[in-house]
Amino acid sequence: MVASQLAAVLSKLQTLYSDHASVVSMNLFVALLCASIVIGHLLEENRWMNESITALAIGLCTGVVILLTSGGKSSRLLVFSEDLFFIYLLPPIIFNAGFSVKKKQFFRNFITIMLFGAVAKGSVRGWLGVIKFFKEMDIGSLEIGDFLAIGAIFAATDSVLNQDETPLLYSLVFGEGVVNDATSVVLFNAIQSFDLTNTNHRIALEFIGSFLYLFLASTLLGVAVGLVSAYIIKTLYFGRHSTDREFALMMLMAYLSYIMAELFYLSGILTVFFCGIVMSHYTWHNVTESSRITSKHAFATLSFVCETFIFLHVGMDALDIETWKFVNDRPGTSIIVSSVLLALVMAGRAAFVFPLSFLSNLAHKSANEKISFRQQIIIWWAGLMRGAVSMALAYNQFTRAGHTQLRCNAIMITSTITVVLFSTVVFGLMTKPLIRFLLPNSKVTSAPSGSSSPKSITVPFLGSTQDSFEDSPKGVQQPSSIRALLTTPTHTVHYYWRKFDNAFMRPVFGGRGFVPFVPGSPAERSEHKLPQLQ
Amino acid sequence: MVASQLAAVLSKLQTLYSDHASVVSMNLFVALLCASIVIGHLLEENRWMNESITALAIGLCTGVVILLTSGGKSSRLLVFSEDLFFIYLLPPIIFNAGFSVKKKQFFRNFITIMLFGAVAKGSVRGWLGVIKFFKEMDIGSLEIGDFLAIGAIFAATDSVLNQDETPLLYSLVFGEGVVNDATSVVLFNAIQSFDLTNTNHRIALEFIGSFLYLFLASTLLGVAVGLVSAYIIKTLYFGRHSTDREFALMMLMAYLSYIMAELFYLSGILTVFFCGIVMSHYTWHNVTESSRITSKHAFATLSFVCETFIFLHVGMDALDIETWKFVNDRPGTSIIVSSVLLALVMAGRAAFVFPLSFLSNLAHKSANEKISFRQQIIIWWAGLMRGAVSMALAYNQFTRAGHTQLRCNAIMITSTITVVLFSTVVFGLMTKPLIRFLLPNSKVTSAPSGSSSPKSITVPFLGSTQDSFEDSPKGVQQPSSIRALLTTPTHTVHYYWRKFDNAFMRPVFGGRGFVPFVPGSPAERSEHKLPQLQ
């Protein structure tokens, strides 16, 4: 029964690809992807642009051209199916985020996640005011679930900070971005599964429980799959030269973790993220040198292509005529909604960053460890961008039937596009100059080689244990500074974790032997070092 | 209009993936892929098994389990859409074949291709006898186009020879396999575009013209895209460290070549194959060392996963109940058709290998260069396997509506499955023992390090120019043997090609500088050498 149903759908799909028009679209899309990469490369030294904005701009231009040639009918080459996004595009991006995240900074931010969870819980009530406002705007039949969804949608942040120029700020904002994306998706799934026609305490508690269950179960699944992959590769493959099998197994296991999470109605995005972290900590060290280089670069490239694809598509989609025509009769409403959303994003981010920075500064005595106000501004600013994940969530919530038939949904879509475009382009364009203005010495003081950033940049954000996670190769080369750090009393949790890791985890799951410090993750070993290590 | 049509199909697609049953299928499929890889690895030292047979066996077992649990309804997890195959699975396999093919042996076999074209032309008439036979069998309303398609389908060979044990025989059979696959697809496309209700000389000539046009245009397109990629990467990227962009561009350009060919109604398989050859000859040498390792292994891994996927699916599909129930009422017919097809494949292969070997032996005086009868048997035997490409072509021809509704189509599908299963399992299982029996010293005499195979194995197959293409690093290290080869008068074409390559192509498109010999392609540089070369 299911099989015949699938057969019917797949035969439709086959008509789709047999259709010559879609071949033209695919050609154009792949060619545009190539163009984005080449132009992005040429504009690399430009102080205003970055790859996301380039892809967005190319998408917009193409949209205009298609709109003109098709006589105003459509601006899209491919219809953005959120399943295309969730099945194919998102897993590589999030997996690579986990695979290449600097574990040191990420686990410091783990407390942020919990705080964010609390903030999100509080925001459920905060949204009630927004709901009242939208009700008065009379934009249609939005339900309370939609409003919670809007909150989750705009919790997903994106970042364009440069890892080489401002390594710590990048890690803070990027690590947060990934966590926000994940939290967003988890929240979103939790919201979707609830009947939120009326809110009371019982439902709120159930919601929190559901959120925590999703979060913990997804994390555990990801860790479990990652450990299984490490164990299999260590037990069967160690020392043999079957590079392709190793890499194939890593890829398939990572994807398996994602779809297994979907199977159990968990959050695939969180699962694949933690699977990536575990794989970079254990599995990556169990494979041959060739597989290490291959996996590091291939995952990064896949993620890069998927991101470019999404930005290209968002740019093209911004001109989608079917959505805009619902808005045309009342352009004021759309502008107001977009502005309100943008203001909420900025205010929400400010309400999140500045108090937490204040708390963090209170906990630290030395001036070096404090986050300066200028750095707070950058953390706030760089987190304002709403990117591909917001888009996907918006589409998932508001275009159930494939297209936007209801006016309120159309307004929500256009507003999301407006916020994404505005925040990416305006905030994105301003980020590089802003960093140069606020932290004029950042490029000079931060070494381009990576993790040995000076103290003026390595500000703690939240944790008091920021440097005991020194997991870069640099740590091994600088025994004096590390010993100084080890003597500080703030590293207990990580000290015991490392002890546990060395005593129980590594003998079973591999990793870089019994080296005292957490071995370099793929992100932390520069390219030119790899060949000599063999 | 097209957009809304696409939207409808994509929304169907989205229902498909939202369907929880399909998530279960995908989980099972990915898990089975992992299992195939692990079991294939464990059985690597086994003298009977290989990865294809393992995947087939696992597919068969799973099919039985599904058949039993579903109460005899279906044995399939995913319905094999030939577009899934042609859009996603085939391009990586064929691209990697081109990317890693030993150019020396491949271009030697180029004459084989032409001869094969002639043979294929001749076989059009040969099939007329078969048609008469099938007509008498009364298996249904097959048209003449179907019969030509059957010829093309079974022209596609597969190979399970081990590259390390019998390097030259592997290259001969594998190179041929790829060429046969490509020729098969081209022939098949040419046949499909013709109205073959009655054959006469004009149509035959048109057919040959169409075949040649497809062949030449596809090849040129692939070469052009490959050269463009080399030029772009050389001009813009040389010396910079943007590994991910380089690899992304290689991947996207390779895929672009494939879909561009589809756009122009050419043969994407040929295009992407030649794009792979050009990329391994020029583009690959223009990128950073990391990109080289990454691209080499990532392409090989992708190809490996796709092949395993196909074999797994063929194994599962063999038990498809809907197809077999059409055959059940007359099992004799199916067995006879399968046997006839198998006999034709064996006879056709014999008619192709032995006379050509005889001709090749006539042209050579020295006993070392002759192909012994035992080697001829292995060439014949290893080429008997009909694999994934045959399956895909059969599905493309006989399951237009997504399922096999006509009895004749069902018989053709089951016969193809039978031939593929039988040839892969029986011939595949017998290949390793056969080689050990006929060439007992092959493993001892052929060095495992690769290209320096002894003369008793490096038999010439067709060309008289077999060793002037010495493009392996070994060639540089063995000046005496190379000088001896250079003095032979048979290398003129390749000598002039290399002169042209050095004088005009390499200054523009990169490649490995002005080194006198063709630089090592990805396949010819062993892994452990790469790091030191940086």
Side-chain angles (χ1 to χ4, degrees), chain B residues 13 71-72 80 115 147 152 155 163 277 280 301 351 382 386 397 401 445 463 486 504 533:
Chain B
L13 176 62
F80 194 84
L115 278 173
F147 290 104
Q163 190 156 20
I277 288 182
S280 83
T301 306
R386 298 294 176 269
Q397 178 72 12
T445 50
L486 285 176
F504 297 104
L533 283 168

Side-chain angles (χ1 to χ4, degrees), chain A residues 6 16 20 51 245 263, chain B residues 6 16 20 44 51 245 263:
Chain A
L6 288 183
L16 162 75
H20 198 251
E51 216 109 42
R245 274 204 203 102
L263 181 69
Chain B
L6 289 182
L16 163 74
H20 198 251
E44 199 171 50
E51 214 108 43
R245 274 204 201 99
L263 182 69

Side-chain angles (χ1 to χ4, degrees), chain A residues 369-447:
Chain A
E369 285 178 328
K370 287 190 194 295
I371 306 170
S372 73
F373 186 66
R374 288 178 167 191
Q375 286 169 332
Q376 289 178 26
I377 290 177
I378 291 173
I379 292 172
W380 169 70
W381 184 267
L384 285 175
M385 269 148 282
R386 298 294 176 270
V389 174
S390 286
M391 273 321 286
L393 291 176
Y395 275 89
N396 195 24
Q397 177 71 12
F398 298 114
T399 58
R400 287 291 161 77
H403 259 282
T404 48
Q405 299 307 334
L406 288 167
R407 206 170 94 252
C408 59
N409 284 355
I411 287 173
M412 279 297 137
I413 291 279
T414 53
S415 304
T416 310
I417 290 172
T418 311
V419 171
V420 168
L421 276 182
F422 186 82
S423 68
T424 304
V425 174
V426 176
F427 296 160
L429 283 177
M430 294 299 292
T431 300
K432 278 187 190 180
L434 188 77
I435 290 171
R436 230 157 260 158
F437 174 71
L438 289 176
L439 300 170
N441 59 338
S442 67
K443 198 166 188 175
V444 186
T445 51
S446 69

Side-chain angles (χ1 to χ4, degrees), chain A residues 302-320:
Chain A
L302 264 184
S303 163
F304 170 69
V305 171
C306 291
E307 265 177 48
T308 311
F309 183 93
I310 290 170
F311 278 106
L312 201 56
H313 196 99
V314 170
M316 234 176 265
D317 216 61
L319 295 171
D320 180 42

Side-chain angles (χ1 to χ4, degrees), chain B residues 229-406:
Chain B
S229 80
Y231 184 77
I232 289 178
I233 288 179
K234 179 172 177 270
T235 315
L236 298 177
Y237 285 27
F238 203 78
R240 299 199 211 177
H241 294 283
S242 44
T243 293
D244 296 343
R245 274 204 201 99
E246 284 174 344
F247 178 50
L249 212 55
M250 281 174 88
M251 228 167 40
L252 289 172
M253 294 287 279
Y255 195 67
L256 188 63
S257 80
Y258 185 81
I259 53 174
M260 268 177 82
E262 298 291 317
L263 182 69
F264 299 132
Y265 300 102
L266 298 174
S267 163
I269 195 171
L270 260 180
T271 305
V272 82
F273 180 74
F274 279 95
C275 184
I277 288 182
V278 171
M279 277 198 173
S280 83
H281 190 71
Y282 296 109
T283 319
W284 193 73
H285 293 285
N286 298 346
V287 299
T288 59
E289 191 63 34
S290 304
S291 291
R292 281 185 219 175
I293 300 173
T294 305
S295 56
K296 178 185 158 188
H297 291 298
F299 289 142
T301 306
L302 264 185
S303 163
F304 170 69
V305 171
C306 292
E307 264 176 49
T308 311
F309 183 93
I310 291 170
F311 277 107
L312 201 55
H313 195 99
V314 171
M316 236 176 264
D317 217 60
L319 294 171
D320 181 43
I321 206 75
E322 286 191 50
T323 313
W324 285 104
K325 72 181 174 198
F326 285 102
V327 187
N328 263 349
D329 49 343
R330 285 175 67 193
T333 313
S334 180
I335 291 168
I336 293 170
V337 170
S338 303
S339 312
V340 168
L341 284 175
L342 208 57
L344 280 170
V345 164
M346 293 176 83
R349 179 87 191 155
F352 172 61
V353 168
F354 295 110
L356 288 178
S357 301
F358 179 73
L359 283 175
S360 170
N361 283 347
L362 272 189
H364 291 90
K365 271 102 198 170
S366 99
N368 275 342
E369 284 176 326
K370 285 191 196 298
I371 307 170
S372 72
F373 186 65
R374 289 178 166 194
Q375 285 169 333
Q376 288 177 27
I377 289 177
I378 291 174
I379 293 171
W380 168 72
W381 185 267
L384 284 176
M385 270 148 279
R386 298 294 176 269
V389 174
S390 285
M391 274 319 288
L393 291 176
Y395 275 89
N396 196 23
Q397 178 72 12
F398 297 115
T399 60
R400 286 294 159 77
H403 257 283
T404 48
Q405 299 308 332
L406 288 168

